[in-house]
Amino acid sequence: MMILSGDPPRSRVLSLLLITIVVVLAITPFVFPGAKPLNVAAKICIFAALVASYDLLLGYTGTVSFAHTMFYGIGSYAVAIALYGMGPSWAAVGAGVLIGLPLAALLALVIGLFSLRVEAIFFAMITLAVASAFLVLASQLSWLTGGEDGRSFSLPELLRPGTVFIKDLFGVRINGRILTYYIILVGCAGMILALLRVVNSPFGRVLQAVRENRFRAEALGYRTVFHLTYANVLAALVAAAAGVLNAMWLRYAGPDTSLSFSIMLDILLMVVIGGMGTIYGAIIGATIFILAQNYLQALMGAASGAAADAGLPLLPNLLHPDRWLLWLGLLFVASVYFFPTGIVGRLRGAPKAAD
Amino acid sequence: MTTTDIPTPSASDPLPQAKRDLLPVLLPAILALLMLPLVGSFSSWVTLTVASLAMGMMIFIMASGLTLVFGLMDVLNFGHGAFIAVGAYVATLVLLPLAAMSGADSLLTNLAVLVPAVLAAMAVSGALGVVVERVLILPVYGQHLKQILMTTGGLIVAEQALYALWGPQIIPLPLPTSLRGSFIIGDIAIAKYRLLVMLVGLVVFVGIQLTLNRTKIGLLIRAGVENREMVEALGYHVKRLFLGVFMVGSALAGLGGVMWALYREQVHASMGNELTVLIFIVVIIGGLGSVGGCFIGALLVAMVANYGGFLVPKLALVSNILLMVAILMWRPRGLYAVTSR
């Protein structure tokens, strides 16, 4: 209970799901051979942490930010540029982290102080504008960021696939790639547990109070702008750290993998489908979404082919593998409408207003 | 208890006039004049100014619907961009099969396809607006967070549906022949299509202003912004009024979409997404819910983009944000804040 910050899943099915996800993620390198399952697992870890940090904003304070990928991108780019410029050394990784994280925090602070005084709706629009400007900047300053192509780099010796630690453990060669995976797994688990700690602290309760009724929270003597800005900075820090891990896994940072608006929409979908205001929802949402992204497409391709063979009109197009987001979008709208607390809220069974 | 001497208004007194706030209105003109010495050559200044005005009018047409919807219904529609893309796609349904007519060298023949294309685009996007209002927005009136989520979800679904129906490729959409080219006066060239765009933009602006300020529907809309319950208590169907405004806003977005697609001579499903950011900046600059502010905001954004692109190309890419920050520093609620929200 201590490690879960006194906020256990409170549902047998949910506990079972979470344990399954964590165990499967932990043993993925040993039971699912090949590069793709490991990639999917690493992406689930990274996105679970990223989505959990977004949930701190959306679920706990009720502010919609469209700038979360900006912080994610800052982390990615910082470590990528450092490793590209300084060569593959641990000093470069350190420099990337030491520049990227404070930069993200500072930017979050400025945006927060500048725009959190106003209504949520205004904040959403301002963050949308700032994030799009950042995306343009990243793709234009090609001398620094590599433009549209992004930056590829090599990792320090220890993390490379060529570095073999154990030749044969349960039939798997333990190399630098698997070490990187476990660093990501542990790092993301640590961040999620830390976020769980934050939302169950007195500070987290104030955030919920602000979400439910900002005026009343203010009347109780809480300086809501301070709390909102603090939450914004925390979320930005975790997002930037997730960005660092993402860049380290891909050995690449570019606009499409770390900054694009579609990633922002993905995060939004994961939070809402998983369950707003529950950090556990991030894990469930990210897992479902990324599994769908990677494996639903094959299924849809088969269905689309079958529909085309049957000579049905339009259906092959709607079931085309590239249209998987259409169906998740519909699921998203339905879940906002029918179960606003998402899967986790449903499993917990306690109806709680999300707006 | 002493009674202080308060002047009681009598019926014959005129209503107190609202103070005129002209500075924002003059801002685009001042900006244009300031740019004249910076640009240097008069002919390129005219070209840039005309381009800015044309672009500004198009952005205004797209953004006006959004600001109306926000002002009256207190709904922020993040899916507004979808109507823009839908409008453009519907126009291709009319324009591309009849390419021979729009390629003919006769203004009348060209208009005979262009006008039905525009009308079809407005009708479809307006009808889609009705559906969206009924299905997505009706359940979440008064809940901002859910509105943003619902309409964002709608945008995702709409964009994917466009891809499914038309395919992911960019569709070229050539301008009708008689709208190509430009009028040449001395060494100044003014593109014909830009003039047409400016004309349409002005008509839309004047139309909205007259409707809001001179008709009974406009009176009800403005009253609805002030106090919805009171208007309902007087026996008017505010819900139906809301639906109408949403439909008009969506139809205007469709119109803007067609014009933008012809301007760029291409149609793509992500165009709605790209324009959404620009439109939000305009709505914020103008002040949420203000049509006049939206108009000025659109002109300012277009001017900064065009002059900036000419003078400092690198800076132009983030000029919108800089403009927004500058305006919000000056007036934190936008140029003309209408709603008290």
Side-chain angles (χ1 to χ4, degrees):
Chain A
M1 282 310 107
M2 273 304 282
I3 195 166
L4 296 180
S5 313
D7 181 22
R10 292 210 309 273
S11 147
R12 198 160 292 167
V13 183
L14 180 60
S15 313
L16 215 63
L17 262 177
L18 288 168
I19 291 170
T20 314
I21 291 172
V22 173
V23 168
V24 169
L25 285 177
I27 61 171
T28 295
F30 296 99
V31 285
F32 302 108
K36 188 174 177 186
L38 201 61
N39 272 328
V40 172
K43 206 172 169 197
I44 289 176
C45 296
I46 292 165
F47 267 86
L50 181 64
V51 170
S53 71
Y54 191 66
D55 196 27
L56 179 65
L57 281 183
L58 181 67
Y60 281 86
T61 72
T63 44
V64 182
S65 160
F66 282 99
H68 212 61
T69 47
M70 182 171 77
F71 303 120
Y72 184 58
I74 287 176
S76 289
Y77 269 109
V79 77
I81 292 168
L83 279 166
Y84 179 81
M86 295 165 64
S89 65
W90 287 103
V93 176
V97 172
L98 285 181
I99 294 170
L101 264 52
L103 189 66
L106 189 70
L107 204 58
L109 184 71
V110 171
I111 295 177
L113 289 178
F114 184 67
S115 49
L116 275 172
R117 297 167 186 283
V118 291
E119 273 253 12
I121 227 165
F122 215 64
F123 183 72
M125 292 196 287
I126 288 176
T127 50
L128 181 63
V130 172
S132 76
F134 192 83
L135 176 61
V136 170
L137 267 184
S139 55
Q140 290 300 316
L141 298 176
S142 39
W143 56 272
L144 182 67
T145 60
E148 293 291 342
D149 297 333
R151 279 279 183 247
S152 299
F153 54 89
S154 350
L155 287 173
E157 186 78 46
L158 201 60
L159 301 180
R160 286 186 204 160
T163 316
V164 178
F165 302 107
I166 304 168
K167 277 260 167 61
D168 185 45
L169 182 70
F170 306 120
V172 180
R173 181 188 288 251
I174 306 296
N175 58 15
R177 192 81 178 141
I178 288 177
L179 176 66
T180 317
Y181 174 72
Y182 279 108
I183 291 176
I184 288 172
L185 180 66
V186 171
C188 291
M191 286 194 280
I192 291 172
L193 289 176
L195 283 170
L196 205 56
R197 176 69 265 180
V198 167
V199 297
N200 289 301
S201 66
F203 171 70
R205 291 286 173 272
V206 177
L207 292 184
Q208 280 165 304
V210 173
R211 176 189 73 192
E212 296 303 332
N213 192 332
R214 186 164 176 176
F215 180 72
R216 215 175 276 178
E218 199 127 8
L220 285 171
Y222 295 110
R223 283 156 59 203
T224 57
V225 171
F226 167 79
H227 285 89
L228 288 176
T229 309
Y230 191 28
N232 204 26
V233 171
L234 268 180
L237 271 176
V238 175
V244 168
L245 294 177
N246 182 47
M248 303 267 284
W249 180 252
L250 296 174
R251 287 166 285 175
Y252 165 80
D256 289 338
T257 59
S258 57
L259 277 177
S260 75
F261 191 62
S262 65
I263 296 181
M264 191 64 244
L265 292 182
D266 293 353
I267 297 174
L268 206 58
L269 289 164
M270 290 182 217
V271 171
V272 172
I273 291 173
M276 286 185 282
T278 60
I279 293 294
Y280 295 115
I283 303 172
I284 305 276
T287 307
I288 289 177
F289 188 90
I290 289 165
L291 285 180
Q293 190 176 28
N294 285 284
Y295 296 108
L296 182 69
Q297 293 192 353
L299 215 66
M300 286 178 66
S304 169
D309 291 341
L312 296 168
L314 197 59
L315 208 58
N317 270 345
L318 288 176
L319 290 175
H320 190 275
D322 288 348
R323 297 288 82 76
W324 64 280
L325 198 55
L326 174 71
W327 301 101
L328 276 187
L330 288 172
L331 177 64
F332 172 86
V333 171
S335 63
V336 174
Y337 189 32
F338 293 110
F339 37 101
T341 47
I343 292 170
V344 169
R346 258 294 141 108
L347 289 178
R348 282 182 166 177
K352 208 165 58 178
D355 197 308
Chain B
M1 193 173 155
T2 56
T3 51
T4 44
D5 197 24
I6 299 168
T8 45
S10 69
S12 62
D13 280 345
L15 283 167
Q17 282 285 317
K19 239 173 83 183
R20 295 242 173 233
D21 182 12
L22 278 177
L23 195 53
V25 180
L26 296 175
L27 211 56
I30 296 170
L31 190 68
L33 285 178
L34 274 179
M35 286 300 146
L36 180 53
L38 282 177
V39 173
S41 124
F42 183 70
S43 64
S44 37
W45 178 78
V46 172
T47 310
L48 281 175
T49 310
V50 170
S52 317
L53 290 178
M55 188 180 158
M57 297 288 186
M58 278 188 286
I59 298 173
F60 164 72
I61 292 174
M62 293 185 253
S64 59
L66 191 66
T67 203
L68 275 180
V69 166
F70 187 85
L72 175 65
M73 298 157 61
D74 191 20
V75 169
L76 194 57
N77 181 9
F78 270 77
H80 198 68
F83 299 122
I84 296 172
V86 166
Y89 271 99
V90 170
T92 64
L93 284 184
V94 180
L95 283 173
L96 291 183
L98 300 173
M101 280 173 82
S102 76
D105 198 15
S106 140
L107 183 60
L108 275 180
T109 328
N110 288 167
L111 286 181
V113 281
L114 195 57
V115 171
V118 167
L119 291 181
M122 290 180 71
V124 172
S125 52
L128 188 65
V130 172
V131 175
V132 166
E133 202 267 355
R134 290 284 107 157
V135 176
L136 287 186
I137 297 181
L138 199 61
V140 292
Y141 269 119
Q143 300 165 288
H144 282 161
L145 181 62
K146 281 193 180 176
Q147 283 167 5
I148 296 177
L149 295 177
M150 281 288 231
T151 53
T152 307
L155 180 68
I156 297 173
V157 173
E159 195 179 321
Q160 292 298 321
L162 285 177
Y163 278 129
L165 292 172
W166 269 278
Q169 70 281 8
I170 293 174
I171 301 174
L173 185 67
L175 205 57
T177 314
S178 51
L179 295 176
R180 295 174 171 279
S182 26
F183 297 111
I184 313 264
I185 310 157
D187 58 347
I188 301 168
I190 298 174
K192 288 179 191 168
Y193 184 59
R194 287 182 179 157
L195 280 183
L196 177 74
V197 165
M198 280 161 65
L199 191 71
V200 176
L202 271 182
V203 168
V204 169
F205 176 62
V206 172
I208 293 177
Q209 288 291 32
L210 285 182
T211 312
L212 278 180
N213 295 322
R214 293 273 185 276
T215 65
K216 182 165 177 189
I217 289 183
L219 184 73
L220 288 176
I221 289 175
R222 284 181 295 140
V225 175
E226 292 296 329
N227 193 333
R228 183 181 167 179
E229 284 79 14
M230 187 60 86
V231 178
E232 267 171 354
L234 290 172
Y236 294 102
H237 280 280
V238 173
K239 264 190 180 167
R240 212 175 290 165
L241 205 62
F242 279 15
L243 186 62
V245 172
F246 202 89
M247 190 179 73
V248 171
S250 316
L252 283 174
L255 171 65
V258 182
M259 292 167 77
W260 189 264
L262 282 170
Y263 186 62
R264 286 291 169 90
E265 303 203 59
Q266 64 178 39
V267 178
H268 194 240
S270 61
M271 66 185 276
N273 224 332
E274 285 155 15
L275 285 164
T276 302
V277 176
L278 202 62
I279 288 168
F280 276 132
I281 292 177
V282 165
V283 170
I284 296 174
I285 288 178
L288 300 172
S290 155
V291 176
C294 176
F295 186 68
I296 296 166
L299 289 186
L300 284 176
V301 163
M303 281 179 154
V304 170
N306 276 292
Y307 293 128
F310 181 78
L311 295 170
V312 221
K314 279 278 171 199
L315 193 67
L317 297 161
V318 284
S319 60
N320 296 326
I321 307 297
L322 296 179
L323 179 72
M324 185 178 77
V325 170
I327 299 271
L328 289 181
M329 293 283 193
W330 176 40
R331 297 198 168 178
R333 301 176 55 79
L335 292 174
Y336 293 111
V338 169
T339 58
S340 51
R341 290 186 284 269

